[in-house]
Every structure is written in structure tokens, then in C-alpha cells.
Amino acid sequence: MKITRIQTIPIRVPLNPDLAIKSGRGGSHTDSPFLLVKIYTDSDHIGLGEVSCTPRWSGEDQTTAAHFINTYFAPLLIGEDPGQIESLTAKFSHPVANNYFTKSAIEMALWDLAGKVANKPVYELLGGKVRDSIPTKWSVSGQSPDKSAEIASWALSQGFKKLKVKVGLEPDSDVARVRAVRKAVGPDTKVGVDANGGWGISSVAVSTIKRLMETSNIYFAEQPVPAGDPADLAEVRRAIDLPIIADESIYLLSDARALHRAKACDVFSIYIGKAGGILPAKRIADFAFSVGLACTVGSNLELGVGSAAMTHLALSSPAIAPDLYPCDIIGPFFYESDIIKPHQNLVPGRATASNAPGLGIELDDDKVSYYTVR
């Protein structure tokens, strides 16, 4: 079997305006540009991938992703055996640096193809299930205290058991927001916070986290300071008796090793997009497992294709600890619609996968056409 062509489809899907994300990274996330990737073969099999291309998060957009795929990556892949995933993806680093979300979509599509050819779900190709389902948590936007409390109450009514609240906007308003959420959900619901690096420096992060611990009984703090300085993150960890999750600080395995050496965090939030694919993300998880660190799966609000890939990774990785740190496999809930055909593998508070081959999902062609950017 050989790859015959690669198709890219730019789409843009609006978020439900009541759930639009406001975070410590700045701005408000109201819609999402994606690039769907379809890898065709000389058989009937087609592999599906998804580029999350919100520039604020990834530094990539639909134009750059399509350009790099069509100009640089497609010539490397056409005519090749799609089953040689590692050797094919190893070629990506030569013509184009970085752009991990773009590279991840191609790798994701190759795994989907491999599963379809083998008539096995991707989680079987990754070593098999270590759990039957994945607990997920809801991410409460950094809105006003009343609005955030309303979103948190809605999330619990939908079936989510644990939450995280976006903070990092301004310490006093952060404390007020989390306090309002705590009051709305009661004392027994687990609530963490995610600053997206917005507190700026370790001293502000430490003082604000201590206030949140005293007033709202939070159980973790995610990315309290900006990425790029593991020592600063380590300073927060030393000062706070609370699990610290690294998110923006970790893209690659080399980042994971640096964070571990610095003793900067307790948990890695890994993304297929940030890592450059399913296998690179799994290698980060495997490293974490080898050094006694936990992992969760983070999100930048993927649609159904990306969410399916995240689910297969989390089902097959023992380092991912969703019972302690539920995963953020929740992207499709934020949108007015998805672009895959309905399935019951993603419900509020829990994600799982069927035993269908590959990623186990099918595009809804009518929805794809409706959301295509022309």
C-alpha cells in the first residue's frame, strides 16, 4: 500500500458564546480555525488528522499548516508505505522546524490509517488499554465571578465531577472567581486552577495560590508562571504544598527532562499537538512513568478527530493518571457542532473509544462542507 495524495481542508467552527474561554494568556477564544488532513492510499483506506491552528496557542494557522503540508511534507510522503510511521515522521524535522501541531495532524492520520489496515483500534497498536475509560474535567472560563459560578454549576449538572478554573488574569479577581465557583459547587467537588502562565513571576503566583488554598480549597495549580524558566516554576513548587502541573512549559521530551531535572512540577500536561504526534506524546508519558511523575492530557479545544486521538493515547498510557488529574478531552462540548458523525464515546465527565479500527471516527461530510473556509 502506498500514499497517493494528501488533502487539506480549512474549517472554522464557532464556539458556544456562553462557554468562550478567557484565560491568563490574554484575549478571548470565540472560534477555532482547524485544518483537516486526509491521507489517501492506493487502497480504500483514508487516514484522518486535525491541526489545531489557533495562533495564540500554537503559533500556527491554517495558511502555514496547509503550506508546509502541501509544499514540504506531501512530497516526502507520496509513494511511501504509510505503515512506516516512525521513519516517515522522522523526516519532518529536516525541511521545517517546530510547527508541531501541523506535524501532529499528519502523524495522527498515519496512525488512523495503520489501525484501519490492521483492523484494530489505535489504542491496540499503542500497546492495549490500561483503562476502560478516562475521567475528564470541565474548564471554567475566566469570566466574572457570577458567570464562572453559573458555568461551573452547569458543568456539574451535565455530569462533570471535577473542574478547573481559569485564573492568571489579576490576583484579586482570580480569588473572587474561584471563591464564587467553590460556593456554587459546594465543598466536596474537586476544583483546580489554571493560570496559563498569567501570574508572570513566582512571587505573585505563590501569594495568589496561597490565598486560593485558604479561601477555596483548590487541589492543583496549573502553569502558574510563564513557560521558559523551569527554575521559576520550581520556586513555586518549593513554596506551595500543592501539586503543580506544567502545561505551556512542556512541548517535547527534552522539555520534560528539563522540568524533571529542575524538580519544577508534579504533573505533565501533555498534548498530541504540542508534542508533534501520538507517539512523541506517548514517549513523554513513558518518561514521566519512569521517573515517578504523573501525566494528564491537556487541550486547546480540539474537535472530534483530535479528541479521538487524545482518547486513544490516554486509554493506552499507564503514566496518565486521570483518576487523580482528569483529562481535558472536552473540546467538542465547546462548539456549536462537531465535524464527525455522532458517537457516544465522549460524554460529560468521561471519554472512551470503541473497538472500531483506527481512531474509530467518521467525518460528517455535510458539516465539513458547511464549516469549510472558502
Side-chain angles (χ1 to χ4, degrees), residues 3-308:
I3 295 171
T4 56
R5 71 184 179 100
I6 299 177
Q7 181 185 14
T8 58
I9 306 170
I11 62 173
R12 184 176 291 270
V13 185
L15 271 73
N16 179 335
D18 291 332
L19 301 176
I21 289 289
K22 185 178 181 181
S23 74
R25 289 181 70 91
S28 182
H29 191 90
T30 56
D31 69 356
S32 289
F34 293 91
L35 191 75
L36 296 179
V37 175
K38 300 174 78 172
I39 298 181
Y40 293 83
T41 64
D42 54 9
S43 70
D44 292 332
H45 300 297
I46 301 173
L48 301 176
E50 174 187 298
V51 185
S52 298
C53 27
T54 304
R56 181 185 300 116
W57 287 352
S58 68
E60 304 165 56
D61 65 17
Q62 291 169 324
T63 301
T64 63
H67 171 69
F68 287 136
I69 289 171
N70 295 326
T71 304
Y72 294 99
F73 300 145
L76 294 174
L77 296 175
I78 291 173
E80 297 288 340
D81 177 358
Q84 303 301 311
I85 298 174
E86 288 191 68
S87 62
L88 291 179
T89 54
K91 297 180 179 182
F92 294 170
S93 61
H94 303 309
V96 177
N98 304 324
N99 288 273
Y100 301 114
F101 284 80
T102 299
K103 294 173 180 177
S104 75
I106 301 174
E107 198 251 19
M108 189 186 305
L110 292 173
W111 279 106
D112 187 37
L113 267 176
K116 289 172 177 174
V117 171
N119 198 33
K120 293 181 178 181
V122 168
Y123 62 74
E124 289 288 351
L125 303 183
L126 296 173
K129 285 184 181 179
V130 296
R131 56 185 60 88
D132 291 323
S133 64
I134 307 148
T136 61
K137 63 182 178 295
W138 187 255
S139 182
V140 177
S141 179
Q143 304 287 347
S144 69
D146 288 346
K147 179 62 177 176
S148 294
E150 179 186 331
I151 293 171
S153 297
W154 169 85
L156 291 190
S157 75
Q158 296 300 298
F160 288 95
K161 306 297 184 185
K162 297 179 182 180
L163 310 169
K164 74 175 179 182
V165 183
K166 292 292 186 178
V167 291
L169 287 87
E170 189 278 324
D172 289 341
S173 66
D174 292 338
V175 172
R177 181 181 312 108
V178 181
R179 184 188 291 120
V181 168
R182 170 55 72 200
K183 183 178 179 181
V185 303
D188 297 327
T189 300
K190 292 281 191 180
V191 176
V193 296
D194 180 7
N196 293 108
W199 283 321
I201 58 175
S202 58
S203 59
V204 174
V206 168
S207 63
T208 308
I209 292 171
K210 287 182 176 179
R211 291 172 66 190
L212 291 168
M213 293 171 67
E214 293 168 358
T215 60
S216 301
N217 189 30
I218 61 170
Y219 86 108
F220 68 77
E222 184 172 336
Q223 200 62 45
V225 292
D229 187 354
D232 204 35
L233 188 59
E235 188 171 331
V236 177
R237 187 186 182 218
R238 286 193 298 270
I240 296 294
D241 186 18
L242 192 76
I244 299 297
I245 301 177
D247 182 346
E248 284 86 349
S249 291
I250 178 169
Y251 273 63
L252 308 178
L253 180 58
S254 57
D255 299 322
R257 294 183 185 279
L259 289 167
H260 172 60
R261 285 195 299 269
K263 299 181 180 179
C265 63
D266 303 279
V267 185
F268 294 152
S269 179
I270 56 178
Y271 292 45
I272 289 171
K274 288 193 303 180
I278 294 172
L279 190 57
K282 186 177 186 299
R283 285 174 174 155
I284 294 172
D286 291 344
F287 169 74
F289 191 72
S290 73
V291 297
L293 294 178
C295 292
T296 187
V297 175
S299 169
N300 55 321
L301 304 188
E302 293 82 356
L303 287 173
V305 181
S307 296

